Amino acid sequence: MICQMPTLRLYYDLLSQPSRAVYIFLRLNNVPFEPKPVALRKDEHQTDEFKKINPFSLVPVVDDDGFLLTESMAILKYVIGKYELGDHWFPQHNLKKQARVEEYLHWHQFNTRGMCASLFQQLLIIPKSTGKPVNQEEVEKMRKKVSEVLKQLETYFLKTQTYIGGGNEVSIADLFAVCELMQLYACHEHSLYEKSPIIKAWMDRVKNDTNPYFDEAHKIIYRTFDVYKQIASKL
């Protein structure tokens, strides 16, 4: 168990999917860190002070005693190496398993992440920020794209595997993927992935593997789900 004093500062907002992935990972692996919440809804990521930490004005960011990292996947690979965490998270001793995790992570950015986030934005963020009604034509386009991504996730990455990276244990690929899909839950689009018994069973496994920190990190998503109908009716 890691028990040293924290040198790691984590700048995050649990509204952010990759922030949740990093937060869950650190908590689950007992990595000591100093939490530094950044309220995106208050534009705290746009302040001059935060831009000194991350000129891209995004979260998450880690500061490890002056060593700054601004990309979530790089953050987790760095932490895994520094603390010599379980090889299943990002395989170091099996080149093929490592390549499988990397394969998904490269695909993830413009697929699981890009499409799920875009649908969430069309349904909630854009109407809320502009005061205009939901653009149903754009929503339908994004639903189709999300459905295509989910089909690829099911038929390729999870076709014959319990987890995305293969083997019998969760990897960072699974964690990043599930946190993105939970955006669909927040805006009542979870039926898109629940249609697939394979994806639903995989998500349940990852949640079980990462709880109680999964639920802790997703409290804001569960709250958003509860109030979404009320929010949507006003848009």
Side-chain angles (χ1 to χ4, degrees), residues 45 47-57 61 68:
H45 58 305
T47 65
D48 290 340
E49 181 181 2
F50 185 73
K51 286 181 180 181
K52 292 176 183 176
I53 298 164
N54 185 0
F56 307 121
S57 297
V61 182
L68 291 166

Side-chain angles (χ1 to χ4, degrees), residues 135-146:
N135 186 327
Q136 293 297 341
E137 184 177 347
E138 286 301 313
V139 166
E140 285 305 315
K141 287 180 183 178
M142 293 314 307
R143 281 182 180 140
K144 289 179 181 178
K145 289 182 179 180
V146 168

Side-chain angles (χ1 to χ4, degrees), residues 65-94:
D65 198 22
F67 178 64
L68 291 166
L69 279 175
T70 64
E71 286 291 334
S72 56
M73 293 176 186
I75 289 168
L76 292 197
K77 291 176 188 178
Y78 171 75
V79 171
I80 289 166
K82 177 174 180 176
Y83 293 102
E84 299 181 349
L85 300 176
D87 198 58
H88 62 91
W89 286 112
F90 184 70
Q92 301 294 312
H93 305 295
N94 186 314

Side-chain angles (χ1 to χ4, degrees), residues 172-224:
I172 61 173
D174 300 287
L175 185 55
F176 280 117
V178 169
C179 286
E180 294 296 335
L181 292 184
M182 287 301 291
Q183 291 299 100
L184 301 178
Y185 181 85
C187 57
H188 291 209
E189 293 291 321
H190 50 299
S191 62
L192 292 173
Y193 60 73
E194 288 182 346
K195 293 175 184 177
S196 166
I198 291 174
I199 292 179
K200 188 176 186 306
W202 159 73
M203 288 185 71
D204 288 343
R205 280 194 295 275
V206 177
K207 291 177 186 179
N208 184 64
D209 291 342
T210 56
N211 260 327
Y213 306 112
F214 184 93
D215 285 337
E216 178 183 311
H218 282 87
K219 284 180 180 178
I220 193 166
I221 296 300
Y222 301 145
R223 288 199 300 269
T224 302

Side-chain angles (χ1 to χ4, degrees), residues 85-140:
L85 300 176
D87 198 58
H88 62 91
W89 286 112
F90 184 70
Q92 301 294 312
H93 305 295
N94 186 314
L95 186 60
K96 290 183 178 179
K97 285 186 177 181
Q98 182 187 104
R100 284 298 180 206
V101 173
E102 286 280 24
E103 179 183 35
Y104 174 78
L105 294 178
H106 286 278
W107 181 84
H108 170 89
Q109 297 287 15
F110 290 103
N111 291 280
T112 317
R113 175 157 176 71
M115 297 303 104
C116 292
S118 294
L119 179 53
F120 179 81
Q121 289 168 2
Q122 286 293 335
L123 283 167
L124 187 57
I125 301 301
I126 294 173
K128 193 172 187 297
S129 63
T130 63
K132 296 180 180 179
V134 172
N135 186 327
Q136 293 297 341
E137 184 177 347
E138 286 301 313
V139 166
E140 285 305 315

Side-chain angles (χ1 to χ4, degrees), residues 35-46:
K36 304 288 285 185
V38 178
L40 299 179
R41 64 193 180 282
K42 296 180 180 179
D43 287 334
E44 290 180 0
H45 58 305
Q46 298 290 354

